[in-house]
Amino acid sequence: MSTRSTGRRKHGGTAVKIVVTGPFSAGKTTLIRTISEITVLSTEKDITDDTKSRKAETTVAMDFGRITIDRDLVLYLFGTPGQDRFDFMWEILGEGMLGYILLVDNSRQDSLDEAVGILAAFRKMARVPFVVALNRSSGIAPDDERHVREVLALDDEVAVVPCDATDRESVKAVLLALLYSVVDSIDAAEPARA
Ligand SMILES: Nc1nc2c(ncn2[C@@H]2O[C@H](COP(=O)(O)OP(=O)(O)OP(=O)(O)O)[C@@H](O)[C@H]2O)c(=O)[nH]1
Ligand SMILES: [Mg+2]
């Protein structure tokens, strides 16, 4: 499948697709709502199974938001469902993405464990840049980062960044980390001509 596509927009800027994925209740919908300049289209439904004790609603199809970086670049943000009974949506939403954010709830070990399978599915789907954002954390201790890198088997070039999905500046920093990774991957693929 195609792994990277960009759309030219009317005024000449570029629109790219970014996916926000991660385990159940990691904060994906919150992150997109925090940063989006348009009202986020969310498909949340009441939870009826035993995960109800954790929260009332879950994303069943997708979240959709938009953020204009500057006149040349607009990001379309697609949030996935976190529950694996909706995992058929991951591939649909991943089609054509420039890169993705793997959001993990840093306050719960089971969130990191759940992220392993999601990352495996995304890596299989597309070889595009991604960053790991640790939600509900203002900073990351070196030991915590080592642990996350080990559990997710991350290459050195994959950034692991702290995140507060309720804070606009924090979400911006996560998106920037992803955009830097995208630029680095383009530089690596196209070495400067002598
Ligand atoms: N304190 C704090 N709460 C957060 C943060 N991010 C999310 N939450 C809360 O955590 C709960 C889950 O957040 P959601 O945004 O629904 O998580 P999700 O990843 O979209 O969940 P699913 O779609 O069910 O997988 C909500 O009650 C949020 O208000 C955060 O950074 N800090
Ligand atoms: Mg959600």
Side-chain angles (χ1 to χ4, degrees):
M1 98 187 228
S2 68
T3 55
R4 187 178 294 177
S5 69
T6 57
R8 301 302 294 179
R9 305 174 80 232
K10 244 193 239 159
H11 60 64
T14 299
V16 300
K17 176 178 182 177
I18 302 290
V19 170
V20 181
T21 192
F24 172 62
S25 201
K28 304 174 292 294
T29 301
T30 304
L31 182 150
I32 294 176
R33 284 184 179 155
T34 295
I35 200 73
S36 181
E37 65 204 7
I38 55 170
T39 304
V40 174
L41 167 73
S42 288
T43 56
E44 293 199 297
K45 290 269 187 296
D46 289 352
I47 293 174
T48 50
D49 66 7
D50 56 359
T51 51
K52 191 182 168 84
S53 57
R54 297 249 299 274
K55 69 207 249 297
E57 290 183 321
T58 192
T59 302
V60 295
M62 61 183 262
D63 306 300
F64 175 72
R66 186 187 73 198
I67 172 82
T68 303
I69 302 293
D70 62 24
R71 58 196 291 274
D72 295 324
L73 183 61
V74 174
L75 308 183
Y76 287 108
L77 304 174
F78 290 78
T80 69
Q83 295 192 322
D84 56 12
R85 61 194 166 117
F86 305 116
D87 62 2
F88 57 90
M89 285 303 299
W90 298 348
E91 190 135 350
I92 295 169
L93 295 176
E95 177 76 37
M97 66 185 163
L98 183 75
Y100 58 96
I101 295 165
L102 177 67
L103 189 65
V104 178
D105 181 351
N106 199 39
S107 65
R108 287 185 10 243
Q109 172 64 37
D110 61 343
S111 186
L112 185 59
D113 296 337
E114 270 177 58
V116 173
I118 298 172
L119 182 56
F122 268 75
R123 277 176 155 159
K124 202 169 143 199
M125 186 192 312
R127 291 176 55 83
V128 294
F130 68 96
V131 294
V132 176
L134 302 183
N135 201 21
R136 296 180 179 82
S137 54
S138 50
I140 310 172
D143 278 355
D144 285 353
E145 179 171 345
R146 246 192 310 278
H147 178 65
V148 168
R149 288 188 172 283
E150 211 171 279
V151 173
L152 296 176
L154 299 179
D155 292 337
D156 288 348
E157 67 264 24
V158 177
V160 177
V161 293
C163 178
D164 174 349
T166 63
D167 180 84
R168 202 172 154 76
E169 290 306 314
S170 173
V171 174
K172 258 197 228 170
V174 173
L175 284 171
L176 275 179
L178 177 61
L179 292 177
Y180 284 130
S181 302
V182 169
V183 171
D184 286 348
S185 75
I186 293 170
D187 286 348
E190 297 169 11
R193 293 199 187 97

